[in-house]
Amino acid sequence: MMDGLNAHPHVRWNPLTATWVQVSPQRTERPWQGAVEAAVAEEVPSHDPACYLCPGVRRANGETNPRYDSTFVFDNDFPALRASTPAAEYGDDPLLLARTEPGVCRVICFTPRHDLTMSRLDVPALGRVVDTWAEQTTALGRLPHVWYVQIFENRGAQMGASNPHPHCQVWAPASVPNEPAREQASLLAYKAAGHACLLCDYLARETRTNERLVAANDAFAAIVPFWAIWPFELLVIPKRHVQALDALRDDERRALADILKRVTTRYDNLFETPFPYSMGFHQRPSDGGPHDEWHLHTHFYPPLLRSATVRKFMVGYELLGTPQRDITPEDAAARLRAVREEHYRDRPDLAATRR
Ligand code: H2U
Ligand code: ZN
């Protein structure tokens, strides 16, 4: 049905966010004279006394981190949301609407090791990170003013991470943020049209063709979505119709750790560099409803385009018109499938065969 699609500039539909993406495969050959990223320093110590996330170090607010040996969660010292914010609505003019937004912001350190990344943590350690994400989903979701638990990781300076220490953030606001709210509307509309689940059905389509599948295990599949915007974007979908991180069974949590390690290793191996990205989970709101329309998933949005030094920017037509990509999702999936799942830093002897 899709034969010949990539021979022409075309648009693809994103059924999750109900938006289009422009795909222009013929542009991949254009010369690049734009910005070039600085190389990333790879030699990082396993403990850095100047790092505010390392065990035993004093943070900016004067508190000292415990000598933790697994994950470590603390309230963000510079939170974007505060639990103490009083509820208030402003303005009866529909063109000038505002309201206060109470909430909680936390930081989760994945490990005491300053030098590791998701790709280089072992699966049991990453499993403890998954457990912590699930615990935070439950604990924050229970707070009366919290309606959504948004977990995300900014990895690498290019994506705005403030520190190489492996960590993520949790923002738990009093309303559902834009992106999951859009997805929720699409998931609900799909169900209302008489289907079971948009992502269950999408996963079934992708498993039939395998064109965009990058990795899979018993419980999860990682796919470059048909409608991807970012060059090597990934969508990690649980095979079971499950609504949230805290609803995952133990075996599924281990499987999530396994697939996250495998896809982030593929990322790092692609250009043999620590691969920057923003990643995060979309799950049901924490308003107490069953939300059977929801299907938990993980988005990876990495900016690197054709090498460690050339990245994609969202500018011009993308900001003012429609997001656009040059390399096709099918190409990106093939390139991610072609690299190893053994981290390049663990196998210097393979250097010659990796390219
Ligand atoms: P990012 O790398 O994604 O920016 O996350 C780091 C967070 O850590 C950031 O939100 C917080 C910042 O506010 N932080 C503290 O809570 N305490 C500190 O001592 C420094 C940074
Ligand atoms: Zn550190």
Side-chain angles (χ1 to χ4, degrees):
M1 182 186 99
M2 294 283 183
D3 281 357
L5 177 66
N6 286 334
H8 305 284
H10 59 275
V11 288
R12 297 187 185 193
W13 176 243
N14 180 340
L16 262 184
T17 54
T19 53
W20 294 95
V21 50
Q22 169 73 45
V23 185
S24 307
Q26 78 286 1
R27 291 184 86 228
T28 48
E29 298 312 318
R30 76 188 192 284
W32 182 259
Q33 296 184 319
V36 166
E37 300 291 324
V40 180
E42 290 207 50
E43 288 319 317
V44 177
S46 61
H47 183 272
D48 177 358
C51 164
Y52 53 76
L53 300 178
C54 270
V57 170
R58 244 164 92 99
R59 293 206 307 276
N61 74 344
E63 244 173 81
T64 299
N65 294 330
R67 304 236 162 236
Y68 63 96
D69 56 14
S70 168
T71 60
F72 169 51
V73 185
F74 63 93
D75 283 327
N76 198 311
D77 301 315
F78 309 97
L81 304 163
R82 293 199 185 102
S84 58
T85 302
E89 307 241 348
Y90 297 85
D92 27 29
D93 182 340
L95 297 186
L96 299 168
L97 277 187
R99 60 164 191 268
T100 53
E101 187 76 17
V104 179
C105 291
R106 289 186 177 158
V107 178
I108 302 176
C109 299
F110 295 168
T111 162
R113 284 279 301 269
H114 182 80
D115 57 330
L116 295 183
T117 50
M118 225 193 272
S119 53
R120 298 183 67 224
L121 278 167
D122 58 32
V123 173
L126 254 186
R128 288 190 288 277
V129 176
V130 174
D131 289 339
T132 307
W133 289 333
E135 284 159 23
Q136 290 301 315
T137 297
T138 305
L140 291 172
R142 268 203 202 115
L143 299 176
H145 57 272
V146 166
W147 280 57
Y148 200 79
V149 178
Q150 181 61 62
I151 297 169
F152 63 95
E153 179 193 13
N154 293 318
R155 176 78 215 158
Q158 289 137 309
M159 283 314 276
S162 55
N163 183 325
H165 196 113
H167 68 282
C168 73
Q169 296 194 46
V170 191
W171 290 27
S175 57
V176 182
N178 289 343
E179 284 294 302
R182 269 177 168 282
E183 292 188 354
Q184 178 163 297
S186 300
L187 294 166
L188 274 172
Y190 191 80
K191 213 166 143 46
H195 307 288
C197 165
L198 194 160
L199 281 180
C200 285
D201 286 359
Y202 177 61
L203 186 58
R205 302 273 203 292
E206 289 292 1
T207 341
R208 214 173 301 140
T209 70
N210 278 339
E211 254 186 309
R212 286 166 292 270
L213 190 77
V214 170
N217 59 26
D218 285 350
F220 286 86
I223 293 158
V224 179
F226 178 72
W227 53 80
I229 291 174
W230 295 92
F232 293 96
E233 183 173 331
L234 280 175
L235 185 62
V236 181
I237 310 177
K239 294 184 175 174
R240 184 165 71 92
H241 182 71
V242 59
Q243 281 68 52
L245 283 159
D246 55 358
L248 290 174
R249 298 186 308 250
D250 274 349
D251 60 308
E252 291 170 322
R253 293 182 190 195
R254 297 298 87 89
L256 178 55
D258 169 76
I259 200 137
L260 291 178
K261 179 177 172 67
R262 289 166 56 195
V263 298
T264 52
T265 298
R266 285 178 183 273
Y267 273 167
D268 288 354
N269 284 351
L270 201 58
F271 303 131
E272 292 189 8
T273 190
F275 206 71
Y277 56 75
S278 272
M279 69 82 76
F281 297 93
H282 281 153
Q283 52 185 345
R284 53 123 180 78
S286 348
D287 54 9
H291 286 291
D292 185 56
E293 78 279 13
W294 263 96
H295 192 127
L296 168 74
H297 56 276
T298 318
H299 293 283
F300 276 90
Y301 298 132
L304 291 187
L305 183 56
R306 55 172 91 175
S307 69
T309 55
V310 174
R311 65 165 294 179
K312 173 183 178 59
F313 289 93
M314 286 279 190
V315 294
Y317 190 75
E318 325 211 79
L319 269 184
L320 292 150
T322 295
Q324 182 263 339
R325 61 179 296 133
D326 302 342
I327 165 180
T328 65
E330 293 70 35
D331 255 12
R335 290 179 63 183
L336 282 170
R337 269 200 304 269
V339 290
R340 293 172 188 272
E341 283 189 350
E342 190 171 27
H343 202 278
Y344 71 92
R345 294 198 54 186
D346 300 329
R347 289 300 298 270
D349 55 306
L350 292 174
T353 57
R354 274 195 305 259
R355 280 166 226 278

